[in-house]
Amino acid sequence: MAQAQEGEFKYGTRIGLGESQLNFSDISGESNKLALSIGIASTYQFNDIIGVSADFLFTSKGGKRDGVEATSSALGFNQEYEYTDKYRLFYAELPLALTLRVPLKENFYLRGFGGPSINFKVLGTEDRLFEDDNFNDRDGYSNRSLEDLETVDYSCFYGVGVEVVGNDDRSYLLDFRLNQALGTAGEINNTEVENSYFLISASCLF
């Protein structure tokens, strides 16, 4: 039976896949975007049940939003052009959590965890694609830098998962986690935004 020993420290890799969303403060029409996270995971077990975890992850977040741009000609004719904005945000994240493990059977645990996460902005870009090709050639853009995002923003995360401890004392973890903003991530097109995501993630710890 490979039980955790008192004061046991493990580290390894983590990868997660899910969906992220940007929530604009006074605009609707947002939709989700693929979220991807990869990096280093670590845990410290005080005993077989209570522990803490700290990860260092690079995470791709973002979202999409549909909109309409209205123009008027010199002759007074109004024309509306529909577009889709795509936002890509890249962060270095430091999530810290308290973890609780409940043994279900030998070497198999149910895990619950939660705590704060510090998010450091690495890069933010946006695309705007108009349905009208001619108007898009004139006013569309891609990979435009988002200059008004906060350098650091804060969130909380929580989730549940399972852990299997092998005979070689390696831990294999699979979990579902939600990350919720504790404040705004800055502004996009003069509008405050919050970002959140959920992931299904897996890790192997040594």
Side-chain angles (χ1 to χ4, degrees):
M1 183 174 181
Q3 289 189 338
Q5 302 299 314
E6 183 177 349
E8 184 177 42
F9 174 76
K10 292 184 180 181
Y11 67 94
T13 57
R14 177 184 299 281
I15 185 169
L17 186 67
E19 285 190 336
S20 67
Q21 183 175 35
L22 288 175
N23 297 308
F24 289 79
S25 61
D26 59 358
I27 301 175
S28 60
E30 305 96 337
S31 58
N32 294 346
K33 183 183 179 298
L34 180 71
L36 177 65
S37 183
I38 188 169
I40 300 170
S42 66
T43 63
Y44 184 86
Q45 288 296 139
F46 297 106
N47 52 50
D48 203 41
I49 296 174
I50 300 173
V52 292
S53 68
D55 301 339
F56 183 77
L57 307 171
F58 288 99
T59 304
S60 170
K61 301 185 261 188
K64 297 187 290 185
R65 186 178 66 85
D66 295 329
V68 175
E69 183 170 324
T71 64
S72 58
S73 67
L75 298 177
F77 297 106
N78 295 324
Q79 181 70 45
E80 293 184 341
Y81 297 92
E82 295 182 353
Y83 62 83
T84 298
D85 282 347
K86 296 181 180 180
Y87 309 104
R88 292 178 293 272
L89 284 66
F90 301 92
Y91 286 87
E93 298 191 354
L94 182 62
L96 309 170
L98 174 68
T99 64
L100 298 176
R101 304 194 315 175
V102 178
L104 300 181
K105 60 180 183 178
E106 184 177 343
N107 300 336
F108 185 78
Y109 298 86
L110 177 67
R111 300 176 74 252
F113 54 89
S117 182
I118 307 172
N119 309 279
F120 303 91
K121 186 196 74 173
V122 177
L123 179 66
T125 65
E126 64 175 332
D127 300 342
R128 175 164 292 186
L129 178 65
F130 288 90
E131 291 188 356
D132 185 290
D133 290 337
N134 292 327
F135 198 79
N136 188 65
D137 290 340
R138 193 188 78 181
D139 284 4
Y141 48 81
S142 62
N143 293 320
R144 189 168 76 175
S145 179
L146 294 170
E147 301 292 346
D148 297 321
L149 296 175
E150 298 290 345
T151 302
V152 181
D153 68 77
Y154 302 92
S155 60
C156 65
F157 74 104
Y158 51 90
V160 295
V162 293
E163 178 180 355
V164 177
V165 181
N167 292 329
D168 57 0
D169 205 36
R170 294 183 183 181
S171 289
Y172 302 91
L173 289 78
L174 180 69
D175 62 53
F176 175 87
R177 58 181 57 199
L178 290 168
N179 187 295
Q180 299 287 335
L182 294 177
T184 67
E187 293 186 353
I188 296 178
N189 298 325
N190 300 314
T191 303
E192 289 189 341
V193 295
E194 296 179 353
N195 62 53
S196 59
Y197 65 82
F198 73 86
L199 292 174
I200 297 174
S201 65
S203 58
C204 177
L205 306 178
F206 302 87

